[in-house]
Amino acid sequence: MPQNIPIVENIMNANDKLAQSNRARIDAAGVFSINILASPGAGKTSLIEKTLPLLKGKLRVAAIDGDIATSIDADRAAAAGAGAAIQINTGGDCHLDAVMLHGALEQIDLTQFDLLIVENVGNLVCPANFKLGTHKTVLVASVPEGDDKPYKYPGTYRGVDALVINKIDLLPYVNFRMDYFQQGVQVLNPGVTTFPISCTTGEGLDAWVEWLIQNSKK
C-alpha cells in the first residue's frame, strides 16, 4: 500500500510555528501589528498612504509590503511617512507567509515603532490561509468590486478582525447594495468592526485612525 505524506499539513504547521515566533518578536518590542488583505485594486496602498499622515506625531509606523514584483507599494508607504518601509517580492506567490515576514522583520528595529502595517498580496483566497503572527487582520473591500464578495469568499470574510469598505464616494454611480453586502458579512462575521471610508474624500478615515491608536495603546 502506498504511504500518503501530509505535505500540506506539514507546511501549514511549520508556518504556524514560525508565525508564533513572529508574534513573540513583535510583542517583545511592544508593537501593535495588522495584516491588510484585499483583492487587487481595492485600495490597500491608498489606505496606507492616507493613514500615515493622520498618524504623524501620534504613532511611529513601519510598513512591510508584499507584492509579486516591484517596490512600488513600499516606495509609496515611505513617501507617505512610514519610518521604515520594506518590500517583499514573492516571485509569483499569491500571498505572504510567516517565513517571508520573518525575513522582513529582521530588517527592522521594531523597538523604534508603535505600529506595524503589513500589506499582503492582492488576493481574496490564499492570504487568508497563512498566519503571519500579526495581532489583527484587516480586510479592505471596495464598492466597485461588487456586493457579492462576502458570499463568494466566505473564508476570507469570516476570519478578519476589522473590515474597511473603501470607495464609498462611488456609491451613487455603482450598483452596490450596501444592505445586501453587510447582510453577507454579518452572517459570516457577526459584529465585525467596520469602517466605511473613502480614500478620495477622506470620509470615515478619522474613525479608522482612532481604532489603530486605541489598539496600539493596549
Side-chain angles (χ1 to χ4, degrees):
M1 293 292 290
Q3 181 179 1
N4 293 322
I5 302 175
I7 295 176
V8 174
E9 181 179 346
N10 290 342
I11 290 173
M12 299 307 292
N13 286 341
N15 182 83
D16 291 352
K17 288 180 180 178
L18 190 53
Q20 293 174 4
S21 176
N22 289 343
R23 171 68 71 84
R25 185 171 191 164
I26 294 168
D27 285 343
V31 177
F32 173 60
S33 56
I34 61 172
N35 174 25
I36 301 181
L37 310 181
S39 61
K44 298 188 304 300
T45 310
S46 294
L47 177 63
I48 293 170
E49 283 183 314
K50 295 297 183 180
T51 298
L52 288 171
L54 296 175
L55 289 173
K56 186 176 182 180
K58 300 175 182 177
L59 295 178
R60 301 167 298 171
V61 185
I64 296 175
D65 297 272
D67 214 340
I68 292 175
T70 81
S71 64
I72 292 174
D73 292 346
D75 292 341
R76 288 172 64 180
I86 306 296
Q87 184 72 52
I88 299 174
N89 289 136
T90 67
D93 287 347
C94 59
H95 60 272
L96 294 180
D97 59 28
V99 175
M100 298 177 194
L101 183 61
H102 180 80
L105 291 177
E106 292 185 336
Q107 303 179 51
I108 300 175
D109 181 1
L110 287 175
T111 63
Q112 300 302 307
F113 299 97
D114 308 299
L115 171 63
L116 172 64
I117 298 176
V118 179
E119 179 182 359
N120 218 305
V121 180
N123 191 317
L124 285 182
V125 181
C126 303
N129 296 324
F130 288 83
K131 296 178 181 179
L132 302 182
T134 52
H135 294 98
K136 302 285 186 181
T137 301
V138 178
L139 174 62
V140 179
S142 68
V143 168
E145 291 177 72
D147 51 26
D148 58 357
K149 291 302 176 287
Y151 303 91
K152 289 187 173 182
Y153 301 94
T156 299
Y157 278 81
R158 185 180 292 115
V160 300
D161 301 291
L163 172 65
V164 173
I165 307 174
N166 190 24
K167 305 184 184 182
I168 58 172
D169 53 298
L170 297 180
L171 282 170
Y173 314 104
V174 177
N175 184 21
F176 183 93
R177 297 163 293 176
M178 183 65 77
D179 56 345
Y180 178 71
F181 175 84
Q182 291 182 323
Q183 180 182 354
V185 171
Q186 287 303 310
V187 168
L188 297 167
N189 201 334
V192 64
T193 301
T194 303
F195 303 98
I197 70 157
S198 168
C199 286
T200 299
T201 67
E203 182 180 354
L205 285 173
D206 287 345
W208 156 250
V209 168
E210 184 60 27
W211 181 80
L212 291 173
I213 293 172
Q214 291 303 316
N215 276 277
S216 296
K217 293 179 178 179
K218 293 181 178 178

